[in-house]
Amino acid sequence: MDLESIPGVGEKTARALAALDDPERALRAGDVATLATAPGISQGRAARIARGAIRLEHDDPGGFLATDRAREIYREVLGLLKDRTVTDYAAQRLETLYPSPRRSRIDEVQAFAREALERDPDPDVLEALEGVELLRDPGDVRVRERCLATTDAERYSEAREAIPELSVEVVEDTQGLAELARGYATVIALDESFAGVALDGDVQVRPDALENPAEVVPERPLAFFARNRDRLQAAIAVHRAADLEAPCDLAALEDGLSRLAEDGTVAGDDELDRLTTAVDDLDAAASAAESVANDQLREAIREQDVTIEGSDLLSLVERGAGVDSLLSRELADEYAVAVDAAREHLIDALDLEAGEAEIARRAFGDEPTFPVERDEDVVGRLREELTAAKERRAGRLKRELAADLADQREGARQLVRDALELDVELAIARFADDFDCVMPAFVDSADAVGFDIVGGRSPLLDEPLERIDPVDYAVSGVALLSGVNSGGKTSTLDLVASVVVLAHMGLPVPAERVRLRRFDDLHYHAKTQGTLDAGAFESTVREFADLAQGGEGSLVLVDELESITEPGASAKIIAGILEALSENGATAVFVSHLAGEIREMAAFDVTVDGIEAVGLVDGELEVNRSPVKDHLARSTPELIVEKLAGEHDSAFYGDLLEKFE
């Protein structure tokens, strides 16, 4: 598929789409989720591009919705479908469904819709869907404690492109590598020539590092899963609630996500938690240990009765001795106990292990001093040891978790796509259930069927379904639809338009049974408010002239065209339009209060159907909403006069009633 041949896709957008793994599959399938991952393409734009690609695939010329009112009907029924979605994705995905005259496209969507009708809109599934969204890329991931090193400029460029998350350094020799090791926690040498070199610090020789980036920078896959953790967990819940076949091992994915913190670090590892806490609490614990020693030593001094001979005091003063000498001489045992308490407090507070504890003990010396103070050099050494152990542990756990999750990345993407597509299917199922829909049957145009609707209920009426009277109506060729005011003529046209639009979208329709031909386009002209001026009248007549000349395969719905000009002229114009449409094989329904006059002026036997009022009850019309074939319905004035003639014994009412015969 030539991407630039898709309507609305230019060179820049084509390049963005080409970056996808399989853009043609995504375009043909209307896979908005995948298309929206292309650089610079939003979800809404992805839907428009998909719709253009689908039209191109089915050689669909577009333009099925030929008038403003036809487009309004489409937007209204589409809105009803979108109202039944849970996710923004599903609402956008429904935008790829549009009425088409092409059999291949209708068949394609009908197959999808039939599967959707088998879905159960379980409340648990709908609730789980609330947390599902398109997966997000984690953005720029930077790792500062690790770097790549090479002696080769070309290798340097390759490394920067393959692993942008790490700094890449150029070194001349082993000495340069050693200098890097003093500034980074881990140095990964890319050159085979460094193999066997022994250096201080964590220096790894990995000539294959660029071929295995997840091992070198596990933060890459972990960042993706961390950023999308909630969405993936919601997708897992959807699959379980809906009993969907999963594209990956749900238990393994769930386990991996449970071990991942929101910031992309590994969670749930006791040893890593211990080391992290020890590093974070080291200064506070050392200060607390000092306090323990000093408090204990202070108490010992307070309780100790120390006697110093004058000659001893003079000797101490002459030697410049201070309190430390007094401690060493008089309180050596008490000092040792206090320092030992400090050491044990530091070890216990940080939960240190044997090797770490040995370093911690050296933080407080054996030589008596007051106040007791920690050795900052030793504390610094302990911090380095703990930090290095923490980084080693974290690195190993990251690599292990990244290895577990990396292979599930595509499965995770499909998991979310499937959950989002389920929302699309459930929206169709819920719409069909709410409006008692069935799949329509298309018939060959040679069968002389325009449309045949049985038990149709317009989804556009602002009434509960149970309060809407079902309508039966069938038309082949052209017909006039007559009836009383407020009898439902416009609602009948809306019903026909809704059924035809939904059917040509490939979707179920709100009726007990529907048969119809495939129409090339839908022309729905709503009722005009007031008489048109000369220019607007001329434009309207020209529009119908063009339609009459090429209207074969068209469905034309017109609501009270007589309002465009004087009644006498309107009847003549409508009669002429109907003649031309009939000759060209179009299907048309014209609602008119001038049906009788139009029938008389038409040069062929035009069908007149009527929505018949049964009568007036408490001033309200009782109407049979299904049009009666070949029947000119009585007008509201006639019904009123008939009611008055029955209630009053007056020749006046009788004479008036005769005028309607």
Side-chain angles (χ1 to χ4, degrees), residues 62 91 183 235 436 456 503 518 557 586 613 627 635:
D436 282 346
R518 278 189 302 108
L557 305 176
S635 65

Side-chain angles (χ1 to χ4, degrees), residues 40 106 141 146 150 177 208 229 244 253 306 311 317-318 330 343 349 352 387 430 480 495 515 578 587 592 603 635 653:
I106 295 172
V141 176
R146 204 174 314 133
T150 180
L177 200 61
D208 63 340
R229 186 178 60 169
L244 293 180
L253 177 59
V306 179
S311 58
V317 170
E318 288 176 347
E330 302 291 337
R343 292 166 175 167
L352 300 181
T387 301
R430 295 167 74 187
L480 287 164
L495 169 64
R515 298 170 64 245
L578 290 175
T587 302
S592 179
S635 65
Y653 295 121

